Amino acid sequence: MKKGFIFDLDGVIVDTAKYHYLAWKKLAQSIDVHFSEAENEQLKGVSRVKSLEKILEWGNKTISESDFMKLMALKNDDYLGYINTMNESEILPDVLKVLKFLIEKEQGIALGSASKNARTILKKVNLFHHFEAIVDGNDVVKGKPNPEVFLSAAKALNINPEHCIVFEDSVAGIQAANTANMISIGIGESSVLQEADFVFADFTHINSQFLNELINK
Ligand code: G6P
Ligand code: MG
């Protein structure tokens, strides 16, 4: 049966959290706010606007609307500098193998990401052409844990949500997949991604037998 496999981008296909961290840290320093790696972890799956809101909240800062917009643009310019250096070598282990397996089996393949830079990143790492549908931060109003991004991806694939499977590294994303009535597969630590239906440390632990079971379910 044709199932819809929806991939999150950041932390699932590529590790961009390190670049988000560098860019947010630089921005936080410029406004005298401390920003740690642990705080960066909490921004996984969180939209750009919400991320800056949280950083300001943690630093007890209030700024004007226009300064807020300026800081967001600065952060993104800085982040894009890192993205610009990306190539295929940054695709996380066995992601391409799993993608190719699913394509071979004629499954629906979509991207469901909160990032407004998702298309740029997919092109940089040469994966853009593998995706039948792409839904990203430019296409949705409500961010994860709202299920909008995954429901839109299912719609674009023309596959019912209950026949979709989501790969996600963030808690908010797992909650979004569960609310969308999809099978949620956490990529990361099981202690963090407790709400997921399945958790794997990374794609090297996902074998063809497991994928076949999902397809034939
Ligand atoms: C992903 C990342 C978040 C990031 C968000 C928006 O969900 O995990 O850390 O804030 O995308 O990314 P953007 O590229 O639009 O700033
Ligand atoms: Mg992610």
Side-chain angles (χ1 to χ4, degrees), residues 18-72:
K18 58 186 182 222
Y19 301 138
H20 280 296
Y21 176 60
L22 292 172
W24 281 132
K25 195 173 172 65
K26 187 171 164 189
L27 176 133
Q29 268 166 355
S30 76
I31 53 168
D32 271 332
V33 167
H34 180 261
F35 181 64
S36 67
E37 274 189 70
E39 284 163 337
N40 191 57
E41 282 296 301
Q42 292 182 51
L43 300 182
K44 283 186 174 172
V46 177
S47 74
R48 201 181 308 164
V49 172
K50 282 254 153 51
S51 298
L52 182 52
E53 281 172 2
K54 278 182 184 257
I55 291 170
L56 293 171
E57 196 185 306
W58 292 329
N60 235 341
K61 284 254 167 192
T62 11
I63 58 169
S64 69
E65 176 88 31
S66 72
D67 282 347
F68 190 98
M69 298 314 283
K70 271 184 219 153
L71 289 182
M72 286 237 301

Side-chain angles (χ1 to χ4, degrees):
M1 184 180 186
K2 186 174 176 179
K3 297 283 171 68
F5 287 84
I6 307 173
F7 291 73
D8 172 45
L9 176 69
D10 299 282
V12 167
I13 293 176
V14 284
D15 173 23
T16 42
K18 58 186 182 222
Y19 301 138
H20 280 296
Y21 176 60
L22 292 172
W24 281 132
K25 195 173 172 65
K26 187 171 164 189
L27 176 133
Q29 268 166 355
S30 76
I31 53 168
D32 271 332
V33 167
H34 180 261
F35 181 64
S36 67
E37 274 189 70
E39 284 163 337
N40 191 57
E41 282 296 301
Q42 292 182 51
L43 300 182
K44 283 186 174 172
V46 177
S47 74
R48 201 181 308 164
V49 172
K50 282 254 153 51
S51 298
L52 182 52
E53 281 172 2
K54 278 182 184 257
I55 291 170
L56 293 171
E57 196 185 306
W58 292 329
N60 235 341
K61 284 254 167 192
T62 11
I63 58 169
S64 69
E65 176 88 31
S66 72
D67 282 347
F68 190 98
M69 298 314 283
K70 271 184 219 153
L71 289 182
M72 286 237 301
L74 275 176
K75 186 269 173 176
N76 201 49
D77 281 351
D78 201 27
Y79 178 64
L80 284 175
Y82 296 112
I83 296 312
N84 210 23
T85 68
M86 290 180 84
N87 58 37
E88 286 168 50
S89 69
E90 297 220 24
I91 301 171
L92 289 169
D94 280 1
V95 168
L96 196 54
K97 187 174 145 191
V98 169
L99 269 174
K100 285 189 172 162
F101 179 89
L102 296 171
I103 290 165
E104 176 90 356
K105 298 267 175 184
E106 298 182 336
Q107 300 300 296
I109 309 289
L111 191 89
S113 165
S115 172
K116 293 189 172 181
N117 298 304
R119 286 172 171 84
T120 307
I121 296 170
L122 282 183
K123 284 178 191 160
K124 289 300 293 182
V125 300
N126 198 25
L127 286 180
F128 191 80
H129 56 289
H130 287 308
F131 289 83
E132 196 179 323
I134 294 176
V135 181
D136 71 12
N138 300 294
D139 310 311
V140 294
V141 178
K142 295 172 192 147
K144 301 167 186 176
N146 188 286
E148 184 183 358
V149 63
F150 296 140
L151 291 173
S152 295
K155 199 168 180 193
L157 289 175
N158 204 16
I159 297 176
N160 284 338
E162 58 268 36
H163 294 145
C164 288
I165 297 105
V166 171
F167 295 106
E168 248 297 341
D169 70 312
S170 74
V171 175
I174 292 294
Q175 290 168 342
N178 291 344
T179 306
N181 207 11
M182 300 176 177
I183 293 179
S184 57
I185 303 186
I187 303 294
E189 286 176 37
S190 46
S191 57
V192 177
L193 304 170
Q194 287 163 2
E195 292 170 63
D197 294 316
F198 305 91
V199 181
F200 297 96
D202 58 46
F203 281 85
T204 66
H205 296 272
I206 300 182
N207 61 29
S208 51
Q209 191 197 330
F210 177 72
L211 293 172
N212 277 327
E213 278 168 18
L214 290 171
I215 294 168
N216 299 320
K217 219 170 187 165

